Amino acid sequence: MSQLNENLQLIYQDVLRRNPNEPEFQQAMLEVFESLNSVMAKHPEIAKKKILQRICEPERQIIFRVPWIDDQGEVQVNRGFRVEFNSALGPYKGGIRFHPSVNLSVIKFLGFEQIFKNALTGMPIGGGKGGSDFNPKGRSDNEIMRFCQSFMTELYRHIGEHTDVPAGDIGVSAREIGYMFGQYKRITNRYESGVFTGKGVTWGGSLARKEATGYGAVFFAREMLKARGDCLEGKTVVVSGSGNVAIYAIEKAMLFGGKVIACSDSSGYLVDEQGLDLARIKRIKEVEYGRISQYAEEVKHAKFIAAGSIWSVPCDLALPCATQNELNAKDAEQLVKNGCIAVVEGANMPCTPEAVRILQNAKVAYAPGKAANAGGVATSALEMQQNASRDSWSHEYTEQRLEEIMVNIHKTCFETAEAYGCPGDYVMGANIAGFLRVCNAMDAMGVI
Ligand code: NDP
Ligand code: 2IT
């Protein structure tokens, strides 16, 4: 990362002016801008054709009302979003998030990151993101279904297998995808498998998609440690969150010989010094939709801590897999003090910019989400491939493809960082490699 040169500074001031009160979006843009000084010098056509300015402006932003009726017969009103950010490399692709914190800034930051992440996968997918401020917590299955149906009653007209292909994210898993896909099918009268990814494996979903983001992040961690002559075996691992990404990051870290001792949810964090019992976590979270504190009620030697930060738990490897800005400067200092050697982001933008600087200055290996968590969307692209050929692949084959993709993303980031004079800086490597791939396609297509 470096100070912005004069031209980048001017462009950044302009995007700030055009996108006020959107702190997450501004944060995500600044991180990319900070990687681009030498890129802009090497490729004058990018400035001349205003490609960066065009990339920062979403191609289309859809905001809509989502009215629905709860189990008490009360009318509820939520807000739905889909930001179709960039389609230079393929149809818009990215998840849908249901969480009360969702607003336009959050969806724009996620959509912006998704452009470069998807480019890094090497698959033909553009970038987009959607969601709603709907809070699924405590809602009945029927309420979730009615909400999803109302959400899709507007969204259906904007998506399609060649246009925009949503998937899951926070608060959206195969259950919600099922309700949304069902409503899409009903309204359009088309069984268009490729319009959604993350579908149930019995009706068009891909094996290994559920595991892909967490597994992919750990494949990335393995490659990053390997580049430093190290490995995962015997390492103590802490994973934040206990949702889809966290659960399968824990699983793969364990399979590679790591000892995972802590995870969390928004109510607090759980420590089991003997190593987490993953089957128990899966039952509590995936079957019972429960809280992680339940684990400590069932297991006497485990502790649940409602206040404080999971990053105070000493570890070799930290995998933030919950949400944006969940690991701040204080947490980063604590990790460094405790001897942490690597931080690999399963979530999107979980480390604050100050935390990233602290980790990088302390020579902790740091992998940004847009590289390390790209395995989820990459496997979504594999699901699209299976749907297009009306085929379904084995778990083993699909996971092998995922592994190859993650090894390649690591290699691309590593080599790009070296080529641009900042060896070991995966932020620079990921941003530059992703950005150049998008710029190249946009340049070829003229001013669009
Ligand atoms: P889930 O909804 O399955 O799980 C989210 C987890 O994070 C839960 O444990 C949740 O706790 C916790 N969490 C969410 N919001 C907050 C918050 N504001 N503060 C503290 N904890 C919070 O989502 P995923 O596992 O799918 O997503 C996790 C992260 O990974 C997100 O950043 C997402 O964008 C990213 N990601 C997901 C991909 C996917 O394929 N699913 C792909 C790539 C990235 P609680 O239950 O208490 O809310
Ligand atoms: O942030 C992400 O990459 C996702 N939520 C997955 C997107 C996808 O289309 O699979």
Side-chain angles (χ1 to χ4, degrees):
M1 274 184 232
S2 50
Q3 285 278 315
L4 302 186
N5 69 28
E6 204 187 326
N7 185 30
L8 281 170
Q9 187 64 43
L10 285 173
I11 303 172
Y12 187 63
Q13 288 311 321
D14 201 43
V15 295
L16 284 186
R17 182 186 61 76
R18 292 162 62 89
N19 301 277
N21 309 316
E22 294 185 354
E24 293 87 0
F25 181 42
Q26 294 173 355
Q27 180 184 335
M29 283 194 292
L30 182 58
E31 190 218 77
V32 171
F33 276 55
E34 284 176 338
S35 301
L36 296 182
N37 277 337
S38 46
V39 176
M40 301 294 271
K42 226 175 180 168
H43 298 275
E45 74 280 5
I46 294 175
K48 186 159 169 279
K49 298 181 182 176
K50 297 204 168 62
I51 297 179
L52 177 58
Q53 290 91 323
R54 283 190 271 148
I55 286 181
C56 291
E57 186 65 21
E59 288 176 17
R60 193 174 298 106
Q61 307 180 54
I62 303 143
I63 305 180
F64 51 100
R65 177 168 68 205
V66 189
W68 57 285
I69 297 177
D70 71 16
D71 285 348
Q72 282 69 47
E74 285 282 325
V75 174
Q76 299 283 344
V77 183
N78 286 102
R79 187 172 294 169
F81 301 89
R82 186 75 184 167
V83 174
E84 298 181 333
F85 226 118
N86 194 295
S87 61
L89 293 173
Y92 310 107
K93 181 84 198 84
I96 288 184
R97 176 178 292 190
F98 292 163
H99 193 273
S101 63
V102 163
N103 56 36
L104 187 59
S105 171
V106 168
I107 298 299
K108 280 167 78 176
F109 116 66
L110 290 163
F112 185 73
E113 293 260 300
Q114 200 81 44
I115 303 170
F116 309 108
K117 181 197 303 193
N118 294 4
L120 281 172
T121 67
M123 311 294 286
I125 42 180
K129 200 84 187 189
S132 174
D133 59 358
F134 170 67
N135 186 359
K137 237 173 254 160
R139 289 295 178 190
S140 71
D141 202 69
N142 278 331
E143 289 178 316
I144 304 267
M145 180 179 71
R146 284 197 297 276
F147 176 80
C148 289
Q149 290 177 340
S150 181
F151 185 81
M152 195 44 55
T153 300
E154 172 57 34
L155 192 64
Y156 87 94
R157 68 187 90 244
H158 306 288
I159 62 176
E161 63 177 327
H162 300 298
T163 315
D164 184 353
V165 182
D169 194 80
I170 292 177
V172 177
S173 59
R175 173 178 62 164
E176 290 74 19
I177 303 277
Y179 294 145
M180 288 191 272
F181 181 81
Q183 184 74 350
Y184 181 86
K185 181 174 76 62
R186 188 179 182 203
I187 296 175
T188 61
N189 193 30
R190 283 164 62 85
Y191 202 109
E192 195 183 322
S193 293
V195 70
F196 264 100
T197 63
K199 300 180 291 294
V201 290
T202 53
W203 48 278
S206 172
L207 288 167
R209 173 62 188 88
K210 184 172 71 172
E211 294 85 354
T213 312
Y215 278 21
V218 177
F219 283 134
F220 197 97
R222 181 194 66 189
E223 293 304 298
M224 204 165 69
L225 290 174
K226 204 195 282 175
R228 294 185 163 207
D230 206 341
C231 69
L232 262 150
E233 194 158 7
K235 297 287 187 294
T236 300
V237 184
V238 166
V239 180
S240 65
S242 49
N244 173 260
V245 179
I247 286 175
Y248 293 95
I250 294 171
E251 182 162 285
K252 203 50 149 186
M254 286 174 169
L255 286 166
F256 283 156
K259 183 176 181 193
V260 190
I261 58 163
C263 68
S264 64
D265 62 21
S266 59
S267 311
Y269 65 97
L270 170 81
V271 183
D272 183 342
E273 294 288 354
Q274 296 181 15
L276 293 174
D277 173 356
L278 187 59
R280 187 180 302 279
I281 294 175
K282 283 187 181 175
R283 169 176 55 76
I284 294 171
K285 300 302 293 190
E286 294 187 332
V287 181
E288 297 167 5
Y289 290 93
R291 308 298 299 157
I292 205 65
S293 53
Q294 201 179 312
Y295 184 116
E297 287 159 21
E298 295 174 14
V299 177
K300 285 281 157 297
H301 64 260
K303 281 180 304 196
F304 180 76
I305 296 111
S309 166
I310 188 172
W311 309 117
S312 62
V313 180
C315 63
D316 301 310
L317 181 63
L319 303 176
C321 295
T323 194
Q324 64 272 7
N325 294 326
E326 56 158 311
L327 195 163
N328 61 25
K330 207 167 139 238
D331 298 321
E333 274 160 8
Q334 186 71 56
L335 285 169
V336 171
K337 209 167 114 208
N338 290 343
C340 174
I341 56 169
V343 176
V344 177
E345 294 185 341
N348 286 308
M349 208 168 76
C351 295
T352 64
E354 300 75 33
V356 174
R357 265 182 267 277
I358 289 163
L359 296 171
Q360 289 187 325
N361 287 340
K363 305 276 180 257
V364 173
Y366 165 72
K370 63 168 77 72
N373 72 33
V377 76
T379 308
S380 279
L382 300 178
E383 182 171 328
M384 291 162 75
Q385 215 174 313
Q386 292 169 74
N387 293 154
S389 58
R390 299 187 185 278
D391 196 2
S392 54
W393 306 340
S394 69
H395 185 106
E396 196 186 15
Y397 176 70
T398 316
E399 191 183 327
Q400 184 197 321
R401 293 281 304 264
L402 164 67
E403 182 171 3
E404 281 164 19
I405 292 168
M406 294 315 297
V407 169
N408 267 327
I409 295 175
H410 175 271
K411 186 166 182 276
T412 302
C413 296
F414 186 87
E415 290 176 355
T416 307
E418 284 206 323
Y420 280 81
C422 37
D425 187 335
Y426 289 85
V427 177
M428 292 286 271
N431 285 340
I432 294 172
F435 179 75
L436 283 176
R437 183 156 186 245
V438 179
C439 283
N440 176 277
M442 285 181 72
D443 193 19
M445 292 176 197
V447 178
I448 53 165

